[in-house]
Amino acid sequence: MCGIIGFTGRSQAKDILVEGLTRMEYRGYDSAGVALEVAGADGEARLDVIRRVGKVAGLASELEGYKDESTCGIGHTRWATHGRPSTANAHPHTSCDGRIAVVHNGIVENFAELREELQDRGHEFKSDTDTEVFAHLIEEAYGCEGDLMAAVREAVSQVAGAYGLAAVCADEPGTIAVARKDSPIIIGMGEMGAYVASDVIALIDATRDVVVLADDQFAKLTPEGIEYTDSEGRAIQPEVTHVDWDLDMAEKGGYPDFMLKEIHEQPRVVRDTLVGRMSANGELDIDELGLSLQELNDIDRVYVIACGTSYHAGLVAKNVIEGWARIPCEVEAASEFRYRDPIITPSTLVVAVSQSGETADTLAAIRDARIKGAKVFGITNVVGSPVARESDGVIYTKANKEIAVASTKSFIGQIVSLMLLALLLAQVKYRLSTKTARMLFRELGDTAEQIQRILDESSDSIHEAAEAVAPAHSALFVGRGMGAAIAYEGALKLKEVSYLHAEAYAAGEMKHGPIALIEPGFPVIAVATKSPTYDKVVSNLMECRARGAVVVTVATEGDEEIKKIADHVIYIPQVRDCFSPITASVPLQLLAREAALLRGCDVDQPRNLAKSVTVE
Ligand code: AGP
């Protein structure tokens, strides 16, 4: 999502900043900016802040006309969270007197309280961002400390949330103060000076020996060197890591392909999508909703409209919108919905789910639904996309730019966002107590850690299963309830990246036709996690096994019985059934990727597919 770069040394800072920002463009952003330190004619240094909405190239051409000498500065590419994409909301943000500038990645959870307190003390805010509180907090602390690094340390101690932060101050020329908590910061010393970035790709041309700052560590960069300290200001010596990636690998974060990188980003996507969403008193906070509580309370029918993977996220959502909020919910392919005459009243909510935010069929369905009088709510990954603009309200999935054509992390972001919406509807309609909503919200957040465990522990079993699936001509995915929704997505993923024909069925439907396909060696991949329908799924698998199928199951840790009917078992941690789609889809993504690699396919750019489908 956002990108940070900073440089102080013996070279033109603006060129280094633009180069770094360009390198980080692949992450996705909506605006870019830099703050450059300049020695004024009167001998007093000043900060020049230059920001633009849109591409780094636009900022670069504006900077071509910038003639002042500057050897210290910070830069940023912003992906909007608090506040729409605009010049005023673009980073860097400055203190009231303009002598301190900051760039920040992450989210300040207590920004509303901090902003109010700072305003009460006379600070004037120029943006809607959470980041701006850092500029004012540092300004206050600098007034007392007269030391930028100490002021940054004091400022972050007041902040709850995540930050990768770099700050400059006109009164301390040549210094960049850096802090980190739950948001990556990489630091390195090159021949021309000291560098900071949020992504190693931005500085590997300057140095390959870098420090990956840990949480609650700080760094003070000057042209002469870098001093590292802890939260008490005591000197520390972090480990130096040698990076031997080429540019391509760096862009992929060291992973062999974007698909794997993006699958591994999913724990972060869960956390980022949930951060700041529940207040201390258990109320859900979706401020970008665009609908009043009364309008939400009036909703008596929900349609989820989407295509492909996003449609499968809708299948998951149906279970919780009906289960938690007790509102009838239908899920429809947008390409069908728009040509039907669905029953729509002013109390109908249409939820449009689209990673790219520009899928033609989904957009057309949104327009149609609005004309018919529905309220439309968008769930998308792209800020300012047509789906976001044309909906009454929007939740952004916080997946960051997804590069692999096959959606993985976006899907997880969509499910988590749809679950937030279902929880909110349930709260507004008093169908769930605050205590239950709070418990479900916490368990939803716990899936981040559970995904991480799957990523850390399941690669061998997934590889073995992939070896069994890859040589086949066709495969069947089955499951019931939540498991069925995930089976559909598992089959789509396998088709997309491995070109292996795959179908998904609700397991109970097997005996009504698909079972005719089964012959010795035919792969049946089942979501067989512990759920109210577990025994039924097991019976269906026995029927497949009896006909010679190779059975692969995604099962719950500790389930030894399943080994009696499955040739390959991929275990995942136990979760409440409603959250199993989040965890169970991860091994199926990895299985699809492994099978595709075994079949020699390009997993990032499958044939015939496009990342955004803007034709009907
Ligand atoms: C997912 O792997 C696919 N690339 C595809 O099904 C995709 O989900 C579909 O085209 C919808 O795209 P959207 O989410 O951008 O609207």
Side-chain angles (χ1 to χ4, degrees):
M1 157 157 38
C2 305
I4 287 177
I5 177 80
F7 170 76
T8 178
R10 294 171 297 283
S11 195
Q12 272 286 4
K14 70 169 187 179
D15 300 335
I16 291 169
L17 301 186
V18 167
E19 177 65 22
L21 295 178
T22 307
R23 287 274 171 85
M24 290 186 287
E25 278 192 299
Y26 79 96
R27 301 167 67 88
Y29 66 101
D30 49 62
S31 51
V34 295
L36 295 165
E37 237 169 50
V38 193
D42 53 1
E44 196 187 25
R46 65 167 200 272
L47 295 178
D48 285 343
V49 176
I50 298 140
R51 301 176 292 180
R52 286 219 18 176
V53 173
K55 295 288 161 202
V56 172
L59 176 73
S61 48
E62 194 161 330
L63 284 170
E64 268 169 29
Y66 183 84
K67 297 292 173 225
D68 280 319
E69 178 82 10
S70 171
T71 55
C72 175
I74 51 178
H76 191 262
T77 43
R78 172 179 189 250
W79 191 87
T81 55
H82 293 73
R84 66 191 175 85
S86 69
T87 307
N89 287 336
H91 298 212
H93 291 287
T94 50
S95 54
C96 296
D97 61 9
R99 300 195 63 74
I100 287 166
V102 297
V103 289
H104 161 231
N105 286 358
I107 290 184
V108 180
E109 287 173 30
N110 57 340
F111 99 101
E113 298 98 281
L114 288 173
R115 185 180 168 115
E116 207 177 301
E117 288 165 18
L118 285 158
Q119 281 170 329
D120 288 347
R121 296 200 291 269
H123 289 265
E124 280 182 24
F125 279 73
K126 303 174 281 284
S127 76
D128 304 320
T129 64
D130 53 339
T131 297
E132 197 182 339
V133 298
F134 280 112
H136 297 283
L137 288 172
I138 296 170
E139 180 175 35
E140 278 194 351
Y142 192 79
C144 308
E145 313 270 357
D147 172 350
L148 182 62
M149 192 69 260
V152 165
R153 192 174 288 113
E154 167 57 28
V156 300
S157 72
Q158 299 176 54
V159 164
Y163 48 80
L165 181 83
V168 287
C169 172
D171 296 316
E172 264 184 59
T175 299
I176 303 177
V178 178
R180 171 208 155 122
K181 182 154 190 294
D182 291 332
S183 188
I185 285 287
I186 321 289
I187 292 171
M189 193 74 203
E191 268 179 34
M192 301 311 291
Y195 299 73
V196 55
S198 55
D199 188 325
V200 74
I201 196 168
L203 45 78
I204 54 171
D205 275 353
T207 177
R208 288 180 171 267
D209 294 317
V210 300
V211 165
V212 180
L213 213 61
D215 282 349
D216 302 316
Q217 290 185 342
F218 298 79
K220 178 178 172 179
L221 281 63
T222 62
E224 290 72 44
I226 303 161
E227 290 168 16
Y228 296 96
T229 45
D230 65 12
S231 53
E232 303 295 326
R234 292 178 293 235
I236 51 169
Q237 279 203 317
E239 194 185 324
V240 174
T241 306
H242 183 75
V243 181
D244 50 15
W245 301 340
D246 59 22
L247 258 186
D248 182 57
M249 279 173 78
E251 205 171 76
K252 292 173 183 154
Y255 292 97
D257 48 75
F258 282 109
M259 186 177 181
L260 189 61
K261 173 176 183 269
E262 288 164 0
I263 290 171
H264 277 259
E265 285 177 59
Q266 294 179 122
R268 180 200 55 73
V269 175
V270 174
R271 287 190 202 102
D272 284 1
T273 307
L274 292 178
V275 81
R277 293 301 192 180
M278 185 167 270
S279 67
N281 59 7
E283 298 290 320
L284 276 161
D285 183 6
I286 307 185
D287 53 358
E288 57 278 58
L289 208 60
L291 299 176
S292 68
L293 288 183
Q294 188 55 52
E295 284 173 312
L296 281 175
N297 199 17
D298 288 344
I299 288 164
D300 58 10
R301 180 194 294 267
V302 177
Y303 288 104
V304 181
I305 53 167
C307 305
T309 289
S310 304
Y311 170 83
H312 297 147
L315 294 180
V316 172
K318 175 182 167 70
N319 288 281
V320 286
I321 291 173
E322 293 191 340
W324 294 341
R326 308 304 297 157
I327 307 175
C329 175
E330 286 179 49
V331 188
E332 275 203 59
S335 53
E336 290 294 315
F337 181 85
R338 55 178 297 209
Y339 294 114
R340 283 203 312 118
D341 185 15
I343 298 166
I344 289 181
T345 70
S347 48
T348 302
L349 177 66
V350 169
V351 183
V353 187
S354 173
Q355 181 282 129
S356 62
E358 56 182 26
T359 298
D361 282 317
T362 309
L363 263 179
I366 290 178
R367 290 173 189 148
D368 195 50
R370 292 193 74 167
I371 290 168
K372 290 178 174 146
K375 310 261 180 318
V376 178
F377 193 72
I379 293 194
T380 181
N381 195 34
V382 180
V383 176
S385 59
V387 164
R389 286 200 310 270
E390 299 196 27
S391 300
D392 295 297
V394 64
I395 299 183
Y396 289 114
T397 46
K398 311 275 170 68
N400 293 3
K401 191 174 172 83
E402 190 174 63
I403 292 177
V405 169
S407 281
T408 53
K409 61 177 181 170
S410 296
F411 178 61
I412 294 297
Q414 289 167 345
I415 295 178
V416 174
S417 303
L418 284 159
M419 287 188 167
L420 275 177
L421 180 64
L423 274 179
L424 178 74
L425 290 170
Q427 260 193 349
V428 169
K429 287 185 172 281
Y430 298 105
R431 302 266 158 73
L432 285 182
S433 67
T434 305
K435 191 172 161 215
T436 307
R438 208 198 288 254
M439 176 190 74
L440 290 170
F441 183 85
R442 198 193 56 240
E443 289 183 21
L444 180 56
D446 290 345
T447 60
E449 209 176 298
Q450 287 145 357
I451 296 174
Q452 192 58 56
R453 279 192 49 211
I454 297 168
L455 295 171
D456 293 343
E457 296 170 12
S458 305
S459 51
D460 289 349
S461 53
I462 291 169
H463 186 74
E464 280 167 26
E467 282 185 325
V469 171
H473 298 294
S474 183
L476 211 49
F477 284 71
V478 295
R480 286 176 181 247
M482 287 294 195
I486 289 314
Y488 288 116
E489 176 56 11
L492 178 67
K493 220 70 313 160
L494 187 67
K495 273 189 272 222
E496 282 188 298
V497 297
S498 75
Y499 316 143
L500 202 160
H501 173 255
E503 285 305 318
Y505 272 87
E509 282 291 290
M510 286 287 293
K511 52 188 166 298
H512 300 292
I515 201 162
L517 292 171
I518 309 247
E519 57 184 357
F522 187 95
V524 173
I525 298 137
V527 180
T529 48
K530 287 288 181 183
S531 75
T533 53
Y534 171 79
D535 292 340
K536 302 281 179 201
V537 176
V538 168
S539 307
N540 298 136
L541 292 180
M542 281 173 165
E543 289 154 13
C544 298
R545 172 89 181 209
R547 287 158 181 84
V550 172
V551 176
V552 175
T553 60
V554 175
T556 305
E557 247 169 20
D559 179 2
E560 292 298 320
E561 283 297 296
I562 198 84
K563 286 185 179 160
K564 293 184 185 154
I565 51 158
D567 300 279
H568 302 278
V569 183
I570 306 165
Y571 283 115
I572 62 172
Q574 171 117 42
V575 292
R576 191 182 290 273
D577 186 41
C578 56
F579 300 132
S580 63
I582 299 174
T583 47
S585 52
V586 178
L588 296 186
Q589 295 165 346
L590 290 165
L591 177 70
R593 175 183 170 276
E594 289 269 342
L597 292 175
L598 289 169
R599 290 164 67 89
C601 303
D602 176 347
V603 293
D604 283 343
Q605 295 191 332
R607 67 186 181 205
N608 305 341
L609 296 178
K611 189 67 188 159
S612 66
V613 184
T614 52
V615 290
E616 296 179 8

